[in-house]
Amino acid sequence: MGNPWNTRPPRPPGDRPDRRRPSRAPAPHEERPAGGSRDELRLYGLNAVQAVFAHRPEAIRKLYLVESRIPALKSLLAWCVKQRVGYRVVEEGDLDRLAASTHHEGVVADVLKAEPLPVADWLRALPERQPVAALWLDGVGNPHNFGAILRSAAHFGVAGILLPRDSTLALSGAAARVAEGGAEQVPLVRMGNPENAIAQLRGAGFTLAATVVRGGDDLFAASLPQRLVYVMGAEGEGMDTRLAAACDQRLSIPGTGAVESLNVAAATAVFLAQWRAAR
């Protein structure tokens, strides 16, 4: 195949009756994590925070919660006490300001960011002789769509989210909340030069499939390989034409035509469901 890039430019509170309840204290009003560290991320939502605690508790730096969430978070609070990680019981409005959202579900946490893996490291860690699916996100930027994609990816067992080297897409509090814990299940992978990345993926046995609104093979009739990378285009603008030309397949989701297309998050769920059904 030609190279299109060359042709176009202690115990939790409440366990002992004599233990004093954590005092209420005014929450800070900063929108960035406490201390303003660029290495930290402010997460909110019960499942998002519990997922970090389950998979990488050492990343938790500070916790804020309303009193009604204490029973659901007893294990996390006990861990915070043991590890000397600060936490505060605050009012609902304090969490609204901390999360810059009312969708925090009574808990906010400042955590260390998980840096994307280099593509070579990710490939080496993949299981051998097993079906593997990955998602290449080309220009996807909406955090709610990204969160929904992460949720679907976790549900269907996607091995990784591949990000172009110049992509500004990163996990945010909004995306993690929408992902409902999926952000801790699916690693982000940073690729290098697109030509090299494609060669690395093909060398590892992957087929690349461009997902297009029209003009592709019917997804439900196509033969899907054991190792597959779905390349998902940006909302509105679609996929880079050079990238689409470099892919091995072009796939479309057939529909009634009553609407132009599904949004990228809904389409991703359909593509992943069909890959899982074909296994």
Side-chain angles (χ1 to χ4, degrees):
M1 177 176 294
N3 176 9
W5 278 273
N6 285 342
T7 59
R8 293 184 61 182
R11 303 189 189 202
D15 270 13
R16 299 189 310 186
D18 60 338
R19 185 169 187 125
R20 296 182 62 188
R21 178 173 295 168
S23 61
R24 295 184 182 277
H29 293 261
E30 72 273 15
E31 297 303 331
R32 291 177 60 181
S37 172
R38 295 182 179 180
D39 296 327
E40 293 182 12
L41 172 67
R42 178 155 289 161
L43 296 184
Y44 54 92
L46 187 61
N47 287 336
V49 172
Q50 287 181 321
V52 174
F53 179 49
H55 293 278
R56 49 189 191 104
E58 71 285 350
I60 299 172
R61 289 293 177 264
K62 189 170 288 187
L63 183 71
Y64 308 90
L65 71 159
V66 294
E67 185 174 1
S68 61
R69 279 300 184 199
I70 290 176
L73 296 169
K74 285 178 66 176
S75 296
L76 174 52
L77 291 170
W79 181 89
C80 287
V81 170
K82 184 177 181 180
Q83 300 298 322
R84 299 181 182 273
V85 172
Y87 68 88
R88 294 182 186 177
V89 177
V90 298
E91 300 291 346
E92 191 89 15
D94 297 319
L95 292 187
D96 293 347
R97 290 188 290 274
L98 284 165
S101 170
T102 59
H103 302 295
H104 47 70
E105 300 173 336
V107 60
V108 172
D110 292 337
V111 306
L112 290 176
K113 295 178 181 178
E115 292 300 323
L117 299 171
V119 65
D121 293 352
W122 174 73
L123 287 171
R124 279 194 295 269
L126 291 178
E128 296 181 3
R129 296 182 294 276
Q130 292 185 25
V132 180
L135 296 171
W136 180 322
L137 301 188
D138 178 48
V140 175
N142 181 287
H144 294 90
N145 279 338
F146 185 35
I149 288 171
L150 285 166
R151 185 173 183 175
S152 294
H155 180 77
F156 290 110
V158 167
I161 303 289
L162 310 181
L163 303 177
R165 63 179 176 181
D166 57 351
S167 173
T168 59
L169 186 63
L171 187 67
S172 65
R177 199 270 304 171
V178 173
E180 294 286 357
E184 295 298 321
Q185 296 284 352
V186 186
L188 302 183
V189 181
R190 181 69 68 186
M191 298 181 291
N193 175 280
E195 181 183 355
N196 292 341
I198 289 174
Q200 287 175 291
L201 291 167
R202 288 202 179 110
F206 281 97
T207 296
L208 277 71
T211 61
V212 295
V213 172
R214 59 184 64 84
D217 295 333
D218 184 333
L219 169 67
F220 304 118
S223 176
L224 300 180
Q226 292 285 299
R227 288 197 162 199
L228 177 62
V229 175
Y230 283 125
V231 184
M232 311 301 300
E235 305 94 343
E237 295 82 5
M239 189 183 310
D240 186 299
T241 55
R242 294 168 297 174
L243 179 56
C247 289
D248 307 296
Q249 290 180 277
R250 295 171 66 89
L251 298 173
S252 298
I253 300 172
T256 64
V259 293
E260 182 180 5
S261 65
L262 299 173
N263 79 1
V264 65
T268 298
V270 174
F271 280 110
L272 291 176
Q274 184 61 15
W275 178 83
R276 185 63 179 261
R279 304 283 61 81

